[in-house]
Amino acid sequence: MVYQKNMRRCLELAATTFGYTAPNPMVGAVVECEGRIIGEGFHRRYGEPHAEVNAIRAVRETELLKHSTLYVNLEPCSHHGKTPPCTDLIIESRIPSVVVGSIDPNPVVAGSGIEKLRKAGVKVTTNVLEEECERLNIRFMTYHRKKRPYVILKWAQTADGYIDVVRDRNTVGRPVWITGWYEQTLVHKWRSQEQAVMVGTNTAMADNPMLNLRRWHGQQPLRVVMDRQLRLPESLNIFDGRQQTLVFTEKNKPETSSGTTFVNVAFDKNLPQRILDELYIRKITSVFIEGGARLLQTFIDAQLWDEARIFKGNAIFEDGLKAPSI
């Protein structure tokens, strides 16, 4: 029970950084000595010290470390990356016992951290609240195990199953809302938790979305848009240069300008996989696909998705663009 209690505290600490650590995982750590927590820490941002380092540094009475147990929801790293290996600091601090929630699937770790600690004489207990630990870092786990980003689909549909009206010159360039203020704000929160937000060509043209955070604090996501024939005008909000935009196209325009990068891909039946392959190379661990219907359905049909978040409104359109079908 003590193991689980302290591991839950690790998860609480880790969850406070949702949206800030990617492509690294969310990690929290606790140092416990004789039933008392003497140090806590978490990985705040990508490139900054890891949770174990912050927890050990938080211990004021350092002589207690040699009598303590370190809890961490993910296996300590054993390699040099943006920061030194956490295993080295644990061993140097003479911490005799470490409790781990889940194994790190990253090939450069993948059990080597635990092995290194054990070889140094550290007692390591693994798989404590493993399911909860893996769920918290499902994006990180998916990225390394499936070699692609974690894919979340989102759309709003009317009571009669439409996601958009039949467009005319009076409705092009602005969204037709099915949801209200609360749901729209929630979407901004969701954007803050993912590394990339994606839309199709027709959605970019019809709604002229900004695909940024305006109703929530956090890191601005990478904007991703499909533009097979490069017919989207540069005046659209997604090309405002305020944040990075990635454009997938068949046309030969590989240069980067004003924060926009063009990637040439074949728009065939393997397009969803090609998109995810490119995002994987760019270390994007999660993508939030907001439309349109054709793009969403393409990922559904390819079975390349992990979550679908669907708003159902009370409006009746009677005609228009049908919602995707799962």
Side-chain angles (χ1 to χ4, degrees):
M1 291 298 293
V2 175
Y3 281 5
Q4 293 184 358
K5 180 181 178 181
N6 288 334
M7 189 59 67
R8 286 197 173 92
R9 180 57 182 160
C10 292
L11 291 171
E12 288 176 352
L13 292 167
T16 62
T17 64
F18 206 164
Y20 289 96
T21 63
N24 281 356
M26 293 174 280
V27 183
V30 166
V31 180
E32 177 262 336
C33 182
E34 298 179 351
R36 180 169 62 98
I37 292 178
I38 60 174
E40 293 184 335
F42 52 89
H43 180 42
R44 295 177 182 275
R45 289 177 183 269
Y46 175 65
E48 294 187 8
H50 290 183
E52 302 92 322
V53 175
N54 289 330
I56 292 171
R57 288 176 178 173
V59 176
R60 294 183 179 181
E61 301 174 78
T62 55
E63 67 275 7
L64 295 179
L65 288 172
K66 61 185 178 182
H67 306 293
S68 300
T69 297
L70 173 72
Y71 292 79
V72 61
N73 61 288
L74 189 71
E75 174 186 5
C77 66
S78 56
H79 66 289
H80 282 272
K82 292 280 186 180
T83 59
C86 292
T87 51
D88 289 359
L89 179 61
I90 295 169
I91 294 168
E92 290 168 8
S93 301
R94 299 171 64 190
I95 296 174
S97 177
V98 174
V99 178
V100 176
S102 59
I103 308 302
D104 191 333
N106 188 338
V108 300
V109 185
S112 63
I114 292 171
E115 181 183 4
K116 187 174 183 179
L117 290 173
R118 285 175 172 163
K119 283 184 177 180
V122 178
K123 176 187 175 183
V124 182
T125 303
T126 61
N127 303 330
V128 175
L129 296 183
E130 181 182 17
E131 185 177 342
E132 290 92 330
C133 293
E134 293 222 348
R135 181 63 199 170
L136 177 69
N137 280 309
I138 191 65
R139 293 154 181 78
F140 181 77
M141 300 293 176
T142 299
Y143 179 82
H144 286 289
R145 288 173 178 164
K146 297 186 177 181
K147 308 302 180 186
R148 65 163 175 82
Y150 188 78
V151 178
I152 302 172
L153 313 178
K154 188 278 295 182
W155 71 84
Q157 65 184 57
T158 62
D160 55 347
Y162 293 96
I163 67 170
D164 202 357
V165 296
V166 177
R167 294 285 185 154
D168 56 30
R169 68 175 60 182
N170 295 320
T171 55
V172 170
R174 58 185 178 87
V176 176
W177 295 112
I178 296 172
T179 56
W181 185 91
Y182 174 83
E183 292 83 4
Q184 294 160 25
T185 302
L186 180 58
V187 169
H188 282 244
K189 178 183 179 181
W190 287 343
R191 287 177 183 173
S192 76
Q193 297 171 345
E194 313 309 332
Q195 280 192 277
V197 179
M198 185 190 305
V199 295
T201 310
N202 293 334
T203 299
M205 187 78 78
D207 292 350
N208 192 17
M210 299 179 74
L211 300 183
N212 61 7
L213 308 182
R214 301 184 300 284
R215 299 184 181 182
W216 204 265
H217 292 288
Q219 296 190 150
Q220 296 289 356
L222 171 71
R223 299 182 289 200
V224 182
V225 63
M226 303 296 106
D227 192 5
R228 183 174 186 174
Q229 299 299 325
L230 288 180
R231 60 187 181 90
L232 294 177
E234 295 182 1
S235 59
L236 291 179
N237 289 323
I238 55 173
F239 300 128
D240 59 14
R242 295 180 181 180
Q243 66 201 75
Q244 292 295 312
T245 298
L246 190 67
V247 180
F248 285 94
T249 179
E250 274 191 341
K251 294 292 185 178
N252 186 24
K253 190 177 181 181
E255 73 271 14
T256 299
S257 61
S258 302
T260 302
T261 301
F262 296 88
V263 178
N264 292 106
V265 294
F267 277 61
D268 54 20
K269 64 179 182 179
N270 295 320
L271 178 61
Q273 186 64 60
R274 297 182 196 280
I275 293 170
L276 297 183
D277 287 345
E278 180 66 29
L279 295 180
Y280 175 80
I281 292 171
R282 294 174 181 271
K283 296 185 177 181
I284 301 298
T285 59
S286 64
V287 58
F288 192 46
I289 305 179
E290 296 198 36
R294 183 176 179 182
L295 181 64
L296 290 163
Q297 194 66 55
T298 299
F299 275 83
I300 292 170
D301 293 344
Q303 298 183 16
L304 289 172
W305 62 283
D306 300 286
E307 290 184 33
R309 302 175 183 177
I310 306 168
F311 293 109
K312 294 186 178 181
N314 296 322
I316 302 293
F317 282 180
E318 296 184 351
D319 192 14
L321 185 61
K322 274 288 187 179
S325 174
I326 296 180

